[in-house]
Amino acid sequence: MTRKAWQIYRRIKNVRGLSEEERLLFARSLAATPDERWRLHENFLRSLGLFTRSERKAFGFK
């Protein structure tokens, strides 16, 4: 993780209702630039097989 992500993580360390993994993911996403967030989003869609319109349509999205 980057230094900025660790600083954000320390701020949200005591937030209730979040697991350790959720806190790390949340801190990483808050520290990311818009381009990095877009890349993370695309990678998530690819991992689910929902990146292209045809893949989403086959899965049931309109």
Side-chain angles (χ1 to χ4, degrees), residues 28 34-52 55-56:
R28 193 176 89 181
D35 288 336
E36 291 170 339
R37 283 194 301 271
W38 183 254
R39 187 175 34 88
L40 290 169
H41 175 69
E42 286 181 334
N43 288 338
F44 177 71
L45 289 177
R46 279 190 186 101
S47 72
L48 295 177
L50 299 172
F51 185 66
T52 63
E55 290 172 338
R56 288 190 300 271

Side-chain angles (χ1 to χ4, degrees), residues 4-61:
K4 185 175 180 181
W6 278 113
Q7 289 172 345
I8 294 171
Y9 174 74
R10 279 189 264 139
R11 289 183 194 163
I12 63 172
K13 190 175 181 181
N14 297 323
V15 173
R16 292 184 182 193
L18 294 176
S19 69
E20 188 71 21
E21 293 82 18
E22 290 171 330
R23 285 186 199 111
L24 290 170
L25 181 63
F26 191 44
R28 193 176 89 181
S29 65
L30 287 175
T33 64
D35 288 336
E36 291 170 339
R37 283 194 301 271
W38 183 254
R39 187 175 34 88
L40 290 169
H41 175 69
E42 286 181 334
N43 288 338
F44 177 71
L45 289 177
R46 279 190 186 101
S47 72
L48 295 177
L50 299 172
F51 185 66
T52 63
R53 184 174 184 267
S54 60
E55 290 172 338
R56 288 190 300 271
K57 191 174 181 182
F59 194 71
F61 292 103

